[in-house]
Amino acid sequence: MGALAVADRDERAAKLFVVAAKLQATGTAAATAEARALLTAAADDGSALAAFDLALLLLSGRGGPVDAAAGLGWLERAAAALPAAAVVLGGVLLFDPARATEGIAWLRQAAAAGDASAFWLLGAAHLRGAGVAADAGQARVLLAAAAEAGLAEAQLELARLYVDGIGGARDDAAAARWERAAAEAGSAVGCLRVAERAAARSGGLPHAIPWLVRAAEAGSGEAAARLAQLYTMGREVAPDAAAAERWRERARALGWKLESE
């Protein structure tokens, strides 16, 4: 294929990808189905981005029926060029014992390109022995790389290893630092853990409440339920029936089953 033909193909693929993205943004089933068709054409023209988007549609069943085999095929084509696609492919394959080692290879490729999520998934794989021999020490190293890159999930997992002394010595101070980092990044779980540490200290409950609020606002039904209980019981904080009911409603909305119900 000549250079001009390749350029024309790439331009056509780019245009199809943009139109497909706009169709998906509408959120309608018909538009998403049309996007599938356009992405197929763009992926056939060699667009890795189109192949990645198409794979996600096929695997999730958006815009048409689920087609796992075709989805994985397009995902593999995209993964050859896109670290993000390699991470998704690697993560999917980790759940298939027969292909977990392939998943590790794709994750290592993405990690070599600097993808933080790849380090996180590799750490989890080493921790659980998925596709590789279990190695908690190596898991710590990999999770630390992802945590340093700012990935909240890795920060929380690393904190747990420090708390439990898995893969190395216990280090509660390090665990607290990583939990705080995840909380400041907006993680509901991170906010809840910071709140728990504050509440465990004598007179620390007033310092825990702002973190519980942040956790509840970030989607933690457990945090909302704890706030409701605190304002109901009025220990270390003034009782506030209106606030208690407001947080109970928030907990219910988040699917949390209250002990009194």
Side-chain angles (χ1 to χ4, degrees):
M1 185 180 295
L4 288 177
V6 170
D8 287 343
R9 183 200 64 185
D10 291 346
E11 182 179 359
R12 181 174 64 244
K15 289 178 178 177
L16 289 171
F17 177 78
V18 170
V19 174
K22 291 179 179 178
L23 286 168
Q24 289 187 74
T26 68
T28 69
T32 305
E34 187 177 351
R36 260 203 196 195
L38 294 177
L39 288 170
T40 300
D44 279 332
D45 276 343
S47 170
L49 288 171
F52 189 17
D53 269 13
L54 177 60
L56 297 179
L57 292 181
L58 291 166
L59 291 170
S60 65
R62 287 182 291 125
V66 171
D67 190 336
L72 286 175
W74 284 115
L75 192 55
E76 188 165 343
R77 287 177 62 170
L82 300 175
V87 169
V88 174
L89 178 58
V92 170
L93 295 180
L94 281 181
F95 287 96
D96 181 351
R99 302 190 66 185
T101 54
E102 291 179 58
I104 292 294
W106 284 111
L107 290 172
R108 285 174 175 160
Q109 176 179 308
D115 191 290
S117 294
F119 285 105
W120 169 47
L121 290 175
L122 284 170
H126 278 82
L127 192 61
R128 296 165 178 79
V132 290
D135 186 337
Q138 182 65 7
R140 259 204 199 194
V141 171
L142 291 163
L143 288 170
E148 291 286 357
L151 199 66
E153 296 88 346
Q155 291 167 344
L156 292 170
E157 185 81 353
L158 182 61
R160 185 181 69 81
L161 299 189
Y162 278 124
V163 167
D164 296 336
I166 297 172
R170 287 184 172 86
D171 190 335
D172 204 53
R177 286 197 304 273
W178 285 119
E179 288 167 357
R180 181 67 176 250
E184 290 178 345
S187 164
V189 175
C191 291
L192 189 56
R193 290 190 188 175
V194 172
E196 289 170 345
R197 286 184 180 273
R201 297 192 293 268
S202 177
L205 191 55
H207 300 286
I209 287 177
W211 289 106
L212 286 172
V213 170
R214 289 179 65 172
E217 290 176 344
S220 171
E222 181 179 358
R226 290 191 187 185
L227 285 164
Q229 184 180 39
L230 288 173
Y231 283 116
T232 298
M233 298 178 69
R235 294 177 182 172
E236 294 189 58
V237 294
D240 187 330
E245 181 56 30
R246 185 170 66 251
W247 287 116
R248 275 193 290 271
E249 290 178 2
R250 176 65 172 163
R252 293 188 194 102
L254 291 169
W256 188 263
K257 182 172 176 58
L258 298 167
E259 291 182 3
S260 59
E261 298 178 347

